[in-house]
Amino acid sequence: MAYEAVIGLECHIQLATRTKMFCECPVEFGAAPNTNVCPVCLGLPGALPVTNRAAIDAALRLGLALGCDVRAESVFARKNYFYPDMPKNYQISQYDRPLCEGGTLPVVMAGEERRFALTRIHAEEDTGKSFHPERLGDRKISRVDFNRAGVPLLELVTEPVLREASECAAFLTALRRLVRWLGISDADMEKGQLRCDANVSIRPPGQTTLGTKTEIKNLNSIKGVEKGIVAEIARQTAVLESGGRIEQATLLYDADHDKLAIMRSKEFAHDYRYFPEPDLPTLVTSDAWRADARVRLPELPWVREERLIADYALPPYDAAVLTEERDLSDYFEELARGVPPKTASNWLMTEGLRHMKENGWDVEGWRLRMPVGAFATLVQKVEAGELTGTLAKQALATALQEGAAIDAVLARPEFQVRSSSDDLLPLVRAVVAEHPGPVSQYRSGKLQTIGFLVGQVMKMSNGQAVPQTVKQLLESELARLE
Ligand SMILES: [Zn+2]
């Protein structure tokens, strides 16, 4: 029997604040272990937490961007459990009065916008990190690094509205784009800055009650999320089809070996003995603060994506690529002031993104080497027929490689176009003489053979000939042979 899957996601977003959630320790990836710690984040007796306003401001902006209801007064709660990488034996989180509730994340899938409903977003602190087991001589040892303990986290929980693994991957991709767009997190999944747990259950189609769910923990890549959910749906289907029952459980997914392992039976909320955090006051976000946070929101990525389609008549695919990053859409819109939009999009998406990828540059790195004005000049010359596409691409590569200005490169003799008939006619005649086969095909009516001959002349001219001129010269030369 085919089953329908019901999936909810819990996403943890590490905030790119300067300091931790409740102390002044720096937030820094890759620092020497246990160097960014203090009495507060180590949970030493008598140390008192103070809420990081920048982290709450980031949470507000995310909540407002997603259309959540933001609570004017929310409450931090202690979540009690024992874990070796959590020095206090409790985590400061939010429970029954979280900062944000409701809202939706718009996700464009196959050209169609869908909105996935959210349950809540709450603020909390991250735990430390364990490394185990390692071998030290003949002993097995575990290590723990508390640098991450107390790093600001947002937990975003969806309603169980996702049905397919591919939707979950699209959801996470859209969430990652949004938090980077807002500048609140680098959301690098490999560094654990964006993590995802998935709650999965299955049911026969048409059934409205939910099946027993399992939770897959700590999925750390978008591909891993998708594959892990596919594996868990298959596992649950096999259990039900062999007459078994799904047990509530927490699972780990090993993406390298495509294997699920049952980690522990799932805790229930009452196991955590939540109670309001006595060391922190009620978290108050004033009307003024919320209004100000709303004003500081940039144009949101899905709004900009729609606008690029409407204002520049771009195909949806181009708009999606160009709004993957805010810097990239900024660069595009600046370029489109001097170059026809679709041409600007083509050059940026092919040549621009290729050079960025090959050199490991972000958009800012690209902009430093290729300011919008310089790139526009290059493309305008091609548009005006003063430069061939091939030459322009070579000039661009040369300028980037040498760190030279594009104008200086374009002034070199090898980047001048050759458009005079006197100059090109000898090349045309040589190509006609060298390729009797295609020439006779052309003369017997296969007119598309001209493309091959033009290509040969272009090659002989090192890409400097103007293709339209070459084509005209070839046509009259071939007509002359009659
Ligand atoms: Zn600290």
Side-chain angles (χ1 to χ4, degrees), residues 165-166 168-170 172-173 176 189 219-231 253 255 258:
S166 59
C168 299
L172 272 176
T173 306
R176 184 177 62 184
M189 292 189 85
L219 296 160
N220 56 8
S221 72
I222 288 176
K223 202 85 224 141
V225 169
E226 191 165 357
K227 284 169 65 185
I229 291 170
V230 167
Y253 177 67
D258 191 23

Side-chain angles (χ1 to χ4, degrees), residues 20 23 25 37-38 41:
K20 292 187 181 179
C23 64
C25 292
V37 290
C38 74
C41 55

Side-chain angles (χ1 to χ4, degrees), residues 149-170:
V151 165
L153 276 190
L154 298 181
E155 181 173 325
L156 176 148
V157 183
T158 74
E159 290 287 291
V161 288
L162 297 129
R163 293 290 174 269
E164 283 168 29
S166 59
E167 290 174 355
C168 299

Side-chain angles (χ1 to χ4, degrees), residues 421-436 439 453 456-457 460 470 473-478 480-481:
S421 309
D422 292 348
D423 182 19
L424 293 175
L425 202 52
L427 304 187
V428 166
R429 290 195 171 138
V431 165
V432 167
E434 274 170 33
H435 299 280
V439 166
L453 298 169
Q456 295 305 307
V457 178
M460 200 177 265
V470 171
L473 288 172
L474 269 168
E475 280 165 353
S476 58
E477 186 67 13
L478 291 166
R480 207 176 56 82
L481 292 178

